C-alpha cells in the first residue's frame, strides 16, 4: 500500500463517524456537496484529522479543500514538513 493509500484509508476512517448518509468515499467526494456537512461538522472533523495525523490545517488551507482527495494530498504534504 502506498503512503497516499494509507493516508486515504486513515482519512476515510475519520470520515466514517460523520458520514450520516453512508456516502461511498472516494478522492472526488466533496464535504459540502456529497457529505452535506455543515460548518460545525467540518470543524469537528478537521480537529479529528489534526489529532490523528499530528498536524495543523490552517483556515486558509481549509478554505481551499473541497474534496477528500485534496485533503489527503494536504495531509501528506503537511506530514512531510
Amino acid at each position: 500500500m502506498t503512503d497516499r493509500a494509507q493516508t486515504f484509508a486513515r482519512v476515510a476512517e475519520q470520515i466514517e463517524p460523520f458520514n450520516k448518509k453512508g456516502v461511498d468515499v472516494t478522492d472526488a467526494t466533496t464535504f459540502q456537496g456529497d457529505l452535506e456537512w455543515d460548518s460545525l461538522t467540518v470543524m469537528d472533523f478537521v480537529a479529528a484529522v489534526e489529532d490523528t495525523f499530528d498536524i495543523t490545517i490552517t483556515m486558509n488551507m481549509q478554505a481551499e479543500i473541497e474534496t477528500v482527495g485534496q485533503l489527503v494530498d494536504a495531509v501528506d504534504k503537511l506530514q512531510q514538513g
Side-chain angles (χ1 to χ4, degrees), residues 6-49:
Q6 289 175 326
T7 302
F8 179 89
R10 290 177 69 192
V11 167
E13 215 173 78
Q14 295 302 312
I15 290 171
E16 200 52 43
F18 300 100
N19 189 356
K20 304 297 185 211
K21 301 183 82 72
V23 173
D24 284 335
V25 177
T26 68
D27 273 349
T29 302
T30 61
F31 297 105
Q32 193 169 15
D34 297 325
L35 295 169
E36 297 181 12
W37 288 358
D38 59 19
S39 57
L40 183 59
T41 302
V42 169
M43 285 176 49
D44 288 345
F45 171 70
V46 167
V49 169

